[in-house]
């Protein structure tokens, strides 16, 4: 007991420390939890004033207000229940802390950075009614004590939905902004995409407004041609919402985006993993070079349960299959082909001369052209 007190008094006689740093530095020696009150108690015992400049932290605990007010101002724009805090400090703080610890052989106590973060987090928690956690927080706060600034970043969100496309001449994907190639710049209003109409653009804009986020990245379950319709229950997609400020906003199940109709919309708590297998029901309108007869069309029955091989692609591609085939003659040189098949088969390559086997042009010995194809349904 006596030797403990001697060590504490030796430290405090040689160095001016604030209540916080005193509490932290002596905590292990006196076998108590590090706290401001512990520091205060011992400073009083030794008749030390707490008005002097702290050797380690230069009284940084008394001037947390500026950083805090920056954090409060910025975080007021975010919905969050949990946060994690990172701190940037001048190296000299840690150097002085380490020096003092090694001089008095103090081990196993939290360092000055940890001490400041703890105090700062306590105040943020209290004021914003949130909890500090390290694993998967809603908001990450990086406070920089070199210039009193802070950077806030929200955890991404994920949304699942399906879309129906009721108009032609609308591409699925938005081109990348030509000025910044997708990074985000003034020309594209930091969205990274071209200012053109597309399904991606329409969905992105909806979520950007809804969740007040910077950017939306969409993972499509298959794709279609710009002139194709998507009917039935629609094509599924997953959207990643980057840095959403308003993550708590209510998302209605459906949304009508003029020509594109969204359904089954829901927020997901975790990121969907990998690619999702799916099947599509597609109706293809085909023109032939030579006249075609109903008898000739019967050859298309071979396609039922056929495995599709694409020799232009990597061999590691998973095997794709056609399950059901239907056809109907439209005119002298045109017919409709209905397929129910695995997703990801290139429709045009299946119809027109290509490296895909089997191939409709080859099968009919008649050069076919894919005029349009519409998705009647997509099944996951
Ligand atoms: Zn201090
Ligand atoms: Zn740009």
């Amino acid at each position: 007991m006596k030797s403990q007190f001697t060590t504490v008094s030796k430290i405090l006689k040689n160095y001016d420390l604030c209540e916080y740093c005193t509490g932290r530095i002596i905590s292990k020696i006196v076998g108590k939890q590090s706290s401001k009150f512990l520091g205060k108690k011992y400073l009083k015992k030794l008749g030390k004033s707490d008005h002097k400049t702290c050797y380690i932290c230069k009284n940084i605990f008394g001037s947390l207000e500026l950083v805090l007010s920056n954090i409060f101002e910025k975080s007021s724009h975010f919905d969050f229940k949990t946060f994690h805090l990172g701190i940037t400090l001048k190296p000299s703080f840690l150097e002085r802390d380490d020096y003092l610890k090694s001089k008095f052989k103090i081990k196993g106590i939290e360092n000055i950075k940890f001490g400041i973060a703890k105090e700062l987090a306590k105040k943020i928690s209290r004021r914003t009614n949130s909890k500090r956690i390290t694993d998967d927080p809603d908001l990450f706060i990086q406070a920089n004590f070199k210039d009193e600034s802070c950077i806030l970043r929200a955890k991404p969100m994920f949304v699942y939905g399906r879309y129906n496309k009721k108009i032609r001449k609308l591409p699925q994907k938005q081109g990348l902004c030509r000025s910044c190639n997708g990074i985000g710049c003034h020309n594209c209003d930091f969205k990274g995409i071209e200012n053109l109409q597309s399904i991606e653009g329409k969905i992105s804009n909806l979520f950007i407004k809804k969740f007040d986020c910077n950017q939306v990245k969409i993972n499509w379950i298959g794709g279609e041609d710009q002139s194709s319709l998507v009917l039935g229950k629609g094509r599924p997609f997953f959207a990643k919402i980057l840095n959403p400020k308003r993550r708590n906003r209510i998302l209605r199940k459906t949304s009508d985006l003029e020509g594109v109709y969204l359904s089954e919309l829901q927020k997901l708590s975790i990121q969907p993993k990998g690619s999702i297998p799916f099947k599509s029901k597609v109706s293809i309108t085909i023109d032939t070079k030579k006249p075609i007869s109903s008898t000739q069309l019967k050859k298309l029955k071979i396609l039922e349960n056929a495995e599709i091989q694409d020799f232009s692609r990597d061999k590691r591609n998973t095997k794709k299959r056609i399950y059901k085939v239907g056809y109907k003659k439209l005119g002298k040189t045109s017919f409709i082909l209905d397929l129910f098949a695995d997703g990801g088969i290139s429709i045009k390559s299946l119809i027109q001369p290509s490296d895909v086997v089997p191939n409709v042009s080859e099968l009919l010995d008649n050069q076919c052209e894919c005029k349009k194809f519409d998705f009647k349904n997509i099944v996951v």
Side-chain angles (χ1 to χ4, degrees):
M1 203 63 186
K2 190 137 186 265
S3 74
Q4 286 168 0
F5 192 75
T6 317
T7 317
V8 172
S9 90
K10 222 197 293 176
I11 298 169
L12 296 180
K13 286 230 165 87
N14 284 289
Y15 293 93
D16 289 326
L17 297 180
C18 69
E19 294 168 344
Y20 295 92
C21 289
T22 305
R24 190 171 54 82
I25 288 287
I26 69 164
S27 57
K28 189 93 182 212
I29 305 169
V30 301
K32 292 261 165 64
Q33 278 269 322
S34 160
S35 78
K36 178 188 175 185
F37 304 102
L38 180 70
K40 193 172 185 163
K41 192 173 130 190
Y42 275 84
L43 285 172
K44 207 171 168 192
K45 253 189 201 175
L46 285 153
K48 290 273 293 190
S49 151
D50 53 6
H51 297 303
K52 295 217 173 110
T53 305
C54 175
Y55 166 73
I56 299 173
C57 76
K58 307 290 172 202
N59 297 0
I60 200 168
F61 289 93
S63 56
L64 297 179
E65 294 313 316
L66 197 53
V67 169
L68 273 171
S69 72
N70 275 334
I71 292 173
F72 293 149
E73 201 280 311
K74 283 193 181 168
S75 70
S76 68
H77 304 287
F78 286 83
D79 290 336
F80 66 104
K81 279 269 157 271
T82 55
F83 70 93
H84 186 43
L85 181 67
I87 276 186
T88 311
L89 207 58
K90 273 188 202 150
S92 55
F93 283 74
L94 282 155
E95 281 161 16
R96 289 192 297 271
D97 193 41
D98 284 343
Y99 172 74
L100 201 128
K101 282 192 278 186
S102 77
K103 186 167 176 183
F104 294 99
K105 299 192 171 54
I106 299 162
K107 277 184 191 150
I109 60 161
E110 57 199 37
N111 67 25
I112 176 69
K113 206 164 163 179
F114 193 93
I116 296 170
K118 199 169 90 178
E119 195 57 28
L120 206 59
K122 221 196 290 176
K123 290 183 196 288
I124 298 170
S125 275
R126 219 176 280 157
R127 171 81 166 258
T128 61
N129 196 20
S130 59
K131 216 170 125 190
R132 181 193 189 188
I133 58 167
T134 46
D135 201 21
D136 207 28
D138 290 340
L139 188 65
F140 186 82
I141 303 169
Q142 182 69 36
N144 188 344
F145 279 92
K146 288 177 179 172
D147 59 4
E148 263 75 43
S149 67
C150 68
I151 295 167
L152 271 56
R153 189 132 196 104
K155 174 173 77 174
M157 288 171 62
F158 300 90
V159 171
Y160 167 78
R162 282 176 175 251
Y163 70 84
N164 283 105
K165 188 183 161 204
K166 297 174 173 176
I167 49 168
R168 299 192 189 277
K169 289 197 175 162
L170 184 69
Q172 184 189 38
K173 288 171 191 162
Q174 195 90 14
L176 293 178
C177 166
R178 276 173 213 172
S179 308
C180 66
N181 213 13
I183 295 163
C185 69
H186 283 285
N187 291 312
C188 59
D189 204 13
F190 294 94
K191 289 172 189 163
I193 51 178
E194 252 183 297
N195 195 20
L196 275 172
Q197 286 273 0
S198 71
I199 294 171
E200 185 172 21
K202 281 172 182 276
I203 296 175
S204 293
N205 283 335
L206 172 75
F207 293 152
I208 285 169
K209 265 189 216 145
K210 168 71 73 184
F211 301 113
D212 194 0
C213 68
N214 297 9
Q215 222 178 322
V216 175
K217 289 206 189 292
I218 300 175
N219 187 6
W220 310 96
I221 309 299
E224 70 276 336
D225 221 37
Q226 138 160 4
S227 63
S228 302
L229 301 181
V230 181
L231 309 164
K233 288 174 78 186
R235 183 182 298 287
F237 65 90
F238 292 95
K240 183 179 186 180
I241 320 286
L242 297 165
N243 200 19
K245 288 197 174 87
R246 296 299 181 199
R247 65 188 321 114
N248 292 346
R249 291 248 171 96
I250 289 166
L251 181 65
R252 263 190 257 133
K253 262 192 171 168
T254 60
S255 188
D256 196 345
L257 305 175
E258 289 167 49
V260 175
Y261 182 78
L262 306 184
S263 60
E264 294 185 23
L265 290 172
Q266 54 179 295
K267 294 191 215 171
L268 302 176
S269 49
I270 47 160
Q271 176 167 23
K273 278 188 194 127
S275 61
I276 289 149
F278 65 101
K279 297 184 178 84
S280 341
K281 198 173 160 190
V282 58
S283 181
I284 313 155
T285 309
I286 298 162
D287 278 0
T288 56
K289 201 169 182 188
K290 298 179 278 184
I292 189 100
S293 71
S294 295
T295 322
Q296 284 168 328
L297 284 179
K298 281 183 185 158
K299 287 183 189 163
L300 293 170
K301 281 223 163 128
I302 288 178
L303 291 176
E304 205 152 273
N305 289 317
E307 201 169 89
I308 306 296
Q309 283 178 291
D310 188 345
F311 290 102
S312 67
R313 286 198 203 173
D314 199 313
K315 283 274 159 59
R316 279 173 303 166
N317 263 327
T318 48
K319 295 200 169 131
K320 302 202 188 295
R321 195 177 277 280
I322 294 175
Y323 300 96
K324 273 186 198 160
V325 177
Y327 46 82
K328 195 177 137 196
K329 195 168 176 298
L330 279 182
K332 236 182 191 175
T333 57
S334 66
F335 66 98
I336 286 182
L337 178 62
D338 288 317
L339 299 176
F340 182 62
D342 280 328
I345 295 171
S346 164
I347 302 297
K348 281 187 176 160
S349 304
L350 181 70
I351 307 303
Q352 295 168 185
S354 73
D355 288 333
V356 169
V357 178
N359 174 274
V360 172
S361 294
E362 206 174 297
L363 210 59
L364 299 174
D365 193 21
N366 195 338
Q367 196 176 322
C368 297
E369 195 195 342
C370 177
K371 290 308 278 184
K372 68 169 195 201
F373 58 101
D374 291 333
F375 287 87
K376 300 290 182 193
N377 213 354
I378 290 130
V379 183
V380 283

